[in-house]
Every structure is written in C-alpha cells, then in structure tokens.
Amino acid sequence: MHILLVEDDEALAVSVAGALQAQGWRVDVSARGEPVPRSLAQDAYDLLVLDLGLPGIDGLETLRRVRESGWLQPVLVLTARDSVEDRVAGLESGADDYMCKPFAPAELVARLRALVRRHENRREGRLALAALRFDLQGMRATIGEQALPLSARESTLLQYLMTRAGQIVAREQLMALVPGWAAATSDNALELQVSRLRAKIEPGGVRLRTVRGLGYLLEAADADGV
C-alpha cells in the first residue's frame, strides 16, 4: 500500500512511518495540511493517515477539502482530542476511523488493514462481517442464505454500522441518518431500534454493543472487548 501520513510531530511521524514501512508499505510524510489535496490528486495513495492538530489549516479543514476534491479512499484520523464531540466531528467530516493518542503501532496497522478491506468490499457493492452480509445495491442483509426481515430504518442503521465495524458510533450519528428523525426520536426510541436490530443480526456471529456514554459498537462476536 501507498500511504500519506500527515503529522507535524516529527518524532511521532518517524515512529508511525517506521511501523508502516515495516509492513512493506510505502509512506510519504507531510507536516502540514495545505498541500494534501494536491498530493492525493497527483499520486495513487491507498490511505490517508491525518493528524487533527496541524499548523496552518487544521486536520478537520484538511479533511473537508480532501473530500470536496472527490478523493474517496479511506482516511484514518489521529488526534489527542478524546471527547465524543471531537470524534463525531471527525467522522462527519469524512473520516473512516479515529484513533486517539497515544496508541499502539500494532493497533494502527490492524485498523488500516481493516479500512482497506472495508473499502474494497464497498467498491464491490457489499459489506461483510463474520457471517453477516449486506448488499448495498439492494439494501438487503443476509446470514448465509437466509434473508433478514429488516425495516427500512433498520437497513439504514445496519449499513452505517457495518461501514464502521469496530468503531464506536455516537448516538447523534445514528439519529442524523434519517432527516427529521433526530428531532422526533428520544434516546429510548433509538435504543429500542438498536435492540430489535441486535436480535436479528447476532445469529450471524456479530455483536452490537451499547457503549455507555459513547454510542454503539458493531464487531465480530469473537473480537476482544474494549
């Protein structure tokens, strides 16, 4: 893979680049966000790893410009900011995943591999987690050969959660999926929707967890807890 790492902390950039290069990946490093959209347009990068606390334009503005330019490859955000609001802001700006500093290099590598797999699945029009499958064109979910009887809202929730499998998704993100839903939906009503969805998909070897104070986490049932 060819990765663009945008990080202004020189010591951290050297450490992260070394961990990625140890996987046999090519890594280019930038300390600022301004040249990033042009770099992505000129070179065939597979991934962008982006720090939020950059000099000049910050990571969120960099990410916004990247997505507005039409670049669709996965983006993983690195940040020292650990509030729910900061995570939501990063994801809503177009990030595919979010890691807080400090982090273990092995986890970063695993997250990047997972991002690439999910991106390839999306390009093929499907999502997969354990035995659970989701057809993006037909908006249909299956476990093996068995179709799941999902409502339109449950299908929307599941698609969003599967594109972010292994990540905590804030309640606000889910409530914003359907226009007007957030204003008319209480936390209890959302929990009821999630509970119904959970009962339908867990036979597929997945687990949909409620993470108190943060949101929801969809993962394979044999994944390590967090």
Side-chain angles (χ1 to χ4, degrees):
M1 289 197 297
H2 192 188
I3 298 172
L4 177 59
L5 169 64
V6 187
E7 171 60 66
D8 66 313
D9 183 322
E10 184 176 357
L12 180 59
V14 169
S15 174
V16 171
L20 301 182
Q21 289 165 344
Q23 304 300 311
W25 300 339
R26 293 173 57 201
V27 182
D28 295 330
V29 180
S30 174
R32 300 184 67 90
E34 289 86 351
V36 170
R38 183 181 305 147
S39 297
L40 295 177
Q42 292 174 343
D43 292 294
Y45 288 103
D46 300 294
L47 282 165
L48 171 62
V49 180
L50 176 66
D51 180 41
L52 290 189
L54 297 172
I57 67 169
D58 66 11
L60 286 180
E61 176 61 19
T62 301
L63 181 54
R64 185 185 66 78
R65 294 184 185 184
V66 164
R67 291 312 193 197
E68 286 183 350
S69 74
W71 199 77
L72 301 177
Q73 301 295 93
V75 177
L76 185 143
V77 164
L78 301 176
T79 181
R81 308 171 190 172
D82 193 26
S83 71
V84 173
E85 292 78 10
D86 287 325
R87 287 197 292 272
V88 170
L91 294 169
E92 289 184 343
S93 296
D96 296 278
D97 202 355
Y98 195 108
M99 286 192 68
C100 292
K101 304 174 183 178
F103 54 84
E107 182 182 1
L108 174 62
V109 168
R111 293 277 193 100
L112 294 180
R113 290 189 187 279
L115 279 181
V116 170
R117 287 195 299 269
R118 290 202 296 270
H119 182 72
E120 290 174 348
N121 283 335
R122 287 199 295 270
R123 287 194 302 184
E124 294 171 3
R126 61 181 172 82
L127 301 171
L129 182 65
L132 180 64
R133 301 289 184 271
F134 192 90
D135 177 357
L136 291 169
Q137 291 184 333
M139 291 294 287
R140 294 187 299 269
T142 57
I143 296 175
E145 298 298 322
Q146 180 180 359
L148 298 184
L150 301 180
S151 68
R153 187 165 289 172
E154 287 169 343
S155 293
T156 299
L157 292 176
L158 181 59
Q159 177 190 358
Y160 194 82
L161 288 164
M162 288 189 73
T163 60
R164 290 155 178 79
Q167 306 171 35
I168 295 175
V169 176
R171 291 172 176 269
E172 294 83 357
Q173 291 175 266
L174 294 182
M175 294 173 74
L177 291 177
V178 180
W181 193 28
T185 305
S186 67
D187 283 349
N188 288 340
L190 177 61
E191 184 62 41
L192 179 60
Q193 289 278 340
V194 169
S195 179
R196 289 173 177 169
L197 178 62
R198 179 184 292 121
K200 294 178 181 180
I201 65 175
E202 286 193 342
V206 301
R207 177 171 54 194
L208 179 51
R209 299 172 51 200
T210 300
V211 183
R212 187 177 298 276
L214 295 178
Y216 301 96
L217 173 66
L218 179 66
E219 61 187 355
D222 58 358
D224 292 334
V226 296

